Amino acid sequence: MAHVVVVGSSNTDLVVKTERFPKPGETLVGGDFFLFQGGKGANQAVAAARMGAKVTFISKVGKDLFGKQIQEGLEKEGISTRLVLEDPEKATGIALITVNKQGENTIVVAPGANASLSPSDIQAALPSLHNHAFILCQLEIPIDTITFLASYAQEENKNLILNPAPAQKLPESIYDQLFLITPNETEASLLTGMPCDSEADYPKIAQWFRDKGVRQVLLTLGEKGTYFQNSTQEYRIPAQNVTAVDTTAAGDVFNGSLAVALAEGIPWKEAIALATKAASISVTRMGAQASAPYRNELV
Ligand code: ATP
Ligand code: RIB
């Protein structure tokens, strides 16, 4: 069985459906309300577990009802909560999400306990990471924690996958510690300072990351699919044509599924195709973790 380590956030998602997004200062009457388990880290962990991997998940929640519900949800997915730490001082992370008629979203996150997942927490968890080759992380936890993890991955020859979401600038030193970076168009543009709007932009963006030492680059392009580049291969893989209900966590399902495929030794092109299929299913369903498909749905 493939084994993937995921380090990242856990949130409770408070979701309201709405015809359109409100303008600044405007109050809108929306539609249905949903409470979902979310957070980029937890979403990727659940997506990976549903792909059939054993998942080691490192995260932090508050000592409150939402934190307890998150831990129960993870246990139901077969993910141990031994490394889902509790911060007695802070609330569990919350995401306020609106989803419009086209399935697009806006998200505001209150990080709460996610902001206190520290390098020393990772240090304490290192014995659980030793035997595992693939580590997946995102940017909803402190950057010091990410850079600590990246240095560990480099020293111990682990394959670190960074999904640089939500977008924020990264320290230069991190790039040559990355096995794979998976920005979306906004993140790619913010990190490189270059446009990421057209087919001609994608190879240049990927080359920018590779010049800094990232071994492989995969740009996720929403309904346009993905662009992949490493030193020997380049692929442009289209998305599947589906009707989007809620695109929340499409990127998370993509990353979690891709990490599992790579940990299973599946070649790049097939691994990306599998993650593309998983993400396309997720956008046809409401919710973050709730939308992640199981492996047997990918036939
Ligand atoms: P999010 O922030 O919504 O979780 P993201 O911005 O990190 O997502 P995207 O590039 O939007 O990531 O989506 C990741 C992948 O999911 C895409 O590469 C594509 O394969 C799939 N996907 C996203 N949106 C759609 C869509 N409308 N139809 C089909 N597939 C989609
Ligand atoms: O990527 C989607 C996730 O972003 C949501 O589940 C929300 O919690 C925010 O972290």
Side-chain angles (χ1 to χ4, degrees):
M1 182 189 256
H3 195 131
V4 173
V5 176
V6 183
V7 181
S9 57
S10 297
N11 293 333
T12 299
D13 291 354
L14 307 178
V15 185
V16 178
K17 290 189 89 167
T18 176
E19 281 286 302
R20 62 172 177 83
F21 299 130
K23 300 188 188 109
E26 182 183 16
T27 300
L28 271 184
V29 176
D32 289 337
F33 167 75
F34 304 85
L35 189 148
F36 286 120
Q37 308 303 341
K40 293 183 191 300
N43 297 343
Q44 295 184 14
V46 167
R50 291 188 180 181
M51 279 300 115
K54 181 161 170 27
V55 176
T56 297
F57 182 45
I58 305 175
S59 192
K60 197 172 260 188
V61 296
K63 228 172 164 41
D64 51 25
L65 179 63
F66 283 161
K68 197 161 177 287
Q69 287 175 341
I70 284 169
Q71 288 168 320
E72 286 169 0
L74 291 167
E75 297 277 2
K76 277 194 197 136
E77 300 291 339
I79 299 171
S80 165
T81 52
R82 191 173 57 86
L83 298 173
V84 178
L85 310 173
E86 288 180 348
D87 184 334
E89 315 270 303
K90 296 218 178 125
T92 293
I94 294 286
L96 295 181
I97 302 181
T98 48
V99 177
N100 74 6
K101 219 175 148 189
Q102 288 75 39
E104 300 162 330
N105 61 52
T106 65
I107 305 182
V108 180
V109 174
N114 294 303
S116 60
L117 185 67
S118 65
S120 57
D121 292 329
I122 305 301
Q123 174 83 53
L126 289 183
S128 304
L129 273 53
H130 278 320
N131 294 327
H132 311 304
F134 284 85
I135 305 176
L136 176 59
C137 63
Q138 326 72 32
L139 298 177
E140 278 186 341
I141 57 174
I143 196 68
D144 287 355
T145 306
I146 302 290
T147 55
F148 179 86
L149 192 63
S151 298
Y152 163 79
Q154 187 175 43
E155 278 160 29
E156 298 292 323
N157 281 321
K158 308 287 183 196
N159 296 316
L160 182 64
I161 303 171
L162 175 62
N163 172 222
Q168 64 169 279
K169 283 280 186 192
L170 293 171
E172 285 288 311
S173 58
I174 203 170
Y175 289 112
D176 74 350
Q177 298 172 321
L178 298 181
F179 169 74
L180 168 67
I181 195 164
T182 60
N184 68 13
E185 291 153 291
T186 312
E187 293 144 10
S189 188
L190 180 126
L191 289 170
T192 62
M194 290 154 62
C196 185
D197 305 320
S198 71
E199 295 291 331
D201 295 333
Y202 308 147
K204 292 182 209 154
I205 295 254
Q207 190 64 54
W208 185 96
F209 285 114
R210 293 207 305 111
D211 287 346
K212 296 205 175 278
V214 182
R215 278 164 282 158
Q216 5 271 324
V217 180
L218 193 151
L219 307 179
T220 68
L221 310 167
E223 63 190 352
K224 300 198 293 288
T226 52
Y227 171 85
F228 173 82
Q229 187 188 101
N230 68 11
S231 61
T232 57
Q233 302 166 64
E234 184 186 31
Y235 301 114
R236 176 75 175 84
I237 296 184
Q240 305 232 326
N241 193 6
V242 293
T243 302
V245 171
D246 178 8
T247 60
T248 308
D252 298 333
V253 171
F254 185 93
N255 278 278
S257 307
L258 181 68
V260 175
L262 296 174
E264 288 177 355
I266 296 177
W268 281 106
K269 197 172 180 190
E270 289 78 11
I272 298 165
L274 182 132
T276 299
K277 171 86 178 161
S280 76
I281 293 173
S282 80
V283 305
T284 65
R285 300 173 179 169
M286 278 302 292
Q289 289 161 39
S291 72
Y294 292 86
R295 187 65 171 257
N296 63 11
E297 296 179 76
L298 302 191
V299 286

